[in-house]
Amino acid sequence: MKRFSFGVVLLLATSVQCLDNGLIRTPPMGWSTWNKFHCGINETLVKEIADVMAAKLSKFGYEYVNLDDCWLDSNRDSAGNLQGDKTTFPSGMKALGDYIHSKGLKYGLYGDPGTHTCQGRPGNEGHETRDAATFASWGCDYLKYDACYATATYQLHAYQDMRDALNKTGRPIGYSICPDASRCNDPNTVMWDASSIANVVMCRGDRLCKTDGANDIAPTWQSWTCMLDVQMQFNSMGYAGPGHFIMPDMLEVGNGMTNDEDQSHFSLWAMIAAPLIAGNDLRNMTDETLEILTNDEVIAVNQDPMGKPARRVYTNNITEVWSRQLHTGDYAVVLFNKDETVQKITLLWRYIGLPANQPAKLRDLWAHQDLGTFSGNYTSAVVPHGVKMFKAVQMRGGL
Ligand code: GLA
């Protein structure tokens, strides 16, 4: 990888022409079929999930019901158009979109720039205009566009083709791409153009983590923490902002980790302004899982209109401090314990750029409690694999 001086990086970053489709001004929130169900999906399942989302989650901001791979029939119809899998989606994809919309929710579909999707269903290569029109005719509101069967050099141009095809439909369709990690990693290629291409870039840190056979996020501590580390390389490039966000992958909350790990995973995704796309079975979740997914104070950090992702401001490899600037001038802070034993972690005001004598009020966003007013530093004990998450509100004009 070429190394740029800081000045050159800044120049490149500011010269990027961002995609201006007016969509996804804050990170999208919703649910996707993939992490829990993989190819075992059908229209009944998706409708039941939409019912739960409308009843329990939409008031917290969740709105996208996203079908991932395997919704497509293996064959196009006789006219060459895509069609839903005839066995698992017998009512057709328009009917499913109508159902999701009738619940006040949005409808997400999945495609692939290559000849086939990752699971071998028809890809969109060479059919971009026709397929985008088909998606729009079904009422699609969001497209996840993967990377299988598309060579690295082909991807960039293919992603642009689908962006233009979606735009031509005249329907607002949020656009999420999943380039290979090498594309995100290389400042010469996708990373610098991604904001002009897509609303969401999933950087496939998975390829560098290789924590499970499929290279995707898995419901394990090792998997998501690795993806987060990889993601930081991209975030530090200043890519994310209203209209364009990056994500390490979809959420694994409720898929088998401990509640402390789920809470940490959700907090850090919220901090880095990653899309909050749940991946568990919403129909059968514990109260603790629901509480994590619907913590409105943590979600408010994720949805901060400035869209500025957190930075890791301190690490000694077992404990970390993360800080995110909010549009109010306040800060969201996470103390993160990666160790197997309880650790005391100290937030120093200088980590977040506050003078040591500046009083700030701290609010604990998981306990939903005001902790008081402090100056200079604040120390807290954090459980293994857990977090403390605060909002730090500066006391302007002193005490
Ligand atoms: C890739 C993606 C996953 C999922 C599968 C579907 O592996 O990274 O998120 O979309 O394809 O086949």
Side-chain angles (χ1 to χ4, degrees):
M1 189 202 291
K2 270 192 196 149
R3 294 200 181 279
F4 291 106
S5 74
F6 185 61
V8 176
V9 169
L10 260 187
L11 185 72
L12 281 172
T14 50
S15 64
V16 165
Q17 189 65 46
C18 293
L19 172 67
D20 190 15
N21 61 6
L23 304 173
I24 319 276
R25 307 308 294 171
T26 59
M29 295 176 63
W31 176 86
S32 156
T33 51
W34 186 253
N35 283 356
K36 177 75 184 178
F37 296 101
H38 299 273
C39 280
I41 58 174
N42 58 63
E43 62 186 34
T44 308
L45 164 74
V46 176
K47 285 175 163 179
E48 287 175 0
I49 293 283
D51 294 345
V52 181
M53 193 186 286
K56 294 190 181 165
L57 293 150
S58 63
K59 54 177 173 290
F60 297 93
Y62 291 86
E63 56 177 349
Y64 290 99
V65 178
N66 293 348
L67 277 62
D68 206 284
D69 208 343
C70 298
W71 66 267
L72 281 157
D73 201 81
S74 304
N75 298 302
R76 289 173 177 268
D77 69 12
S78 52
N81 293 319
L82 290 174
Q83 50 188 348
D85 187 306
K86 291 212 198 89
T87 313
T88 47
F89 293 90
S91 312
M93 304 319 289
K94 164 99 171 59
L96 186 57
D98 289 347
Y99 185 84
I100 289 170
H101 290 148
S102 77
K103 296 270 152 184
L105 302 171
K106 291 187 172 150
Y107 183 29
L109 290 171
Y110 166 96
D112 190 286
T115 51
H116 295 87
T117 70
C118 298
Q119 302 300 317
R121 308 291 168 111
N124 305 100
E125 178 178 342
H127 302 275
E128 288 84 356
T129 306
R130 170 199 289 264
D131 294 348
T134 304
F135 297 149
S137 75
W138 291 335
C140 173
D141 304 299
Y142 186 94
L143 180 70
K144 170 176 168 179
Y145 209 44
D146 212 331
C148 285
Y149 301 100
T151 60
T153 31
Y154 180 72
Q155 281 175 27
L156 177 58
H157 137 81
Y159 289 135
Q160 288 168 332
D161 289 351
M162 184 51 91
R163 169 200 61 194
D164 296 343
L166 291 174
N167 196 32
K168 248 188 266 159
T169 68
R171 184 175 173 85
I173 300 178
Y175 184 37
S176 170
I177 61 174
C178 318
D180 286 341
S182 59
R183 307 268 82 196
C184 289
N185 246 346
D186 181 352
N188 289 314
T189 55
V190 162
M191 204 54 227
W192 297 109
D193 291 314
S195 60
S196 67
I197 297 176
N199 299 112
V200 173
V201 180
M202 181 172 137
C203 273
R204 304 187 66 98
D206 50 311
R207 296 254 181 251
L208 303 173
C209 293
K210 292 202 182 304
T211 50
D212 77 339
N215 286 322
D216 288 321
I217 195 168
T220 64
W221 164 259
Q222 185 204 14
S223 171
W224 76 259
T225 50
C226 175
M227 289 189 183
L228 185 68
D229 283 343
V230 172
Q231 187 77 46
M232 288 321 290
Q233 301 166 18
F234 311 133
N235 270 8
S236 61
M237 294 174 175
Y239 168 73
H244 44 100
F245 295 96
I246 57 180
M247 68 193 293
D249 207 328
M250 300 171 291
L251 293 167
E252 292 282 12
V253 173
N255 278 344
M257 294 188 287
T258 67
N259 286 328
D260 289 333
E261 290 171 340
D262 276 352
Q263 212 176 59
S264 303
H265 173 37
F266 192 74
S267 301
L268 286 158
W269 259 233
M271 287 291 279
I272 64 171
L276 297 179
I277 308 293
N280 60 316
D281 186 348
L282 300 183
R283 301 167 306 174
N284 298 301
M285 59 182 156
T286 62
D287 291 347
E288 287 86 354
T289 297
L290 179 64
E291 217 173 282
I292 291 171
L293 290 174
T294 58
N295 181 325
D296 53 350
E297 297 193 72
V298 173
I299 290 172
V301 169
N302 176 256
Q303 295 291 303
D304 184 76
M306 195 159 70
K308 195 168 176 186
R311 289 180 310 121
R312 179 164 34 203
V313 289
Y314 169 81
T315 176
N316 66 3
N317 293 322
I318 58 167
T319 63
E320 299 181 348
V321 180
W322 293 64
S323 160
R324 176 172 178 180
Q325 219 184 335
L326 303 172
H327 80 290
T328 48
D330 304 324
Y331 295 87
V333 176
V334 160
L335 311 182
F336 183 27
N337 179 8
K338 299 171 96 167
D339 203 17
E340 311 301 325
T341 57
V342 174
Q343 294 289 330
K344 282 192 171 168
I345 307 180
T346 298
L347 164 68
L348 293 179
W349 264 216
R350 69 175 157 77
Y351 294 160
I352 56 178
L354 291 183
N357 60 359
Q358 166 75 56
K361 280 199 294 189
L362 290 186
R363 181 170 173 79
D364 184 325
L365 304 187
W366 283 107
H368 303 290
Q369 248 172 27
D370 290 329
L371 299 174
T373 302
F374 304 88
S375 283
N377 61 72
Y378 181 81
T379 300
S380 185
V382 186
V383 297
H385 291 191
V387 289
K388 286 279 169 71
M389 184 163 176
F390 306 122
K391 190 152 119 178
V393 179
Q394 293 183 60
M395 308 286 292
R396 291 172 192 89
L399 282 172

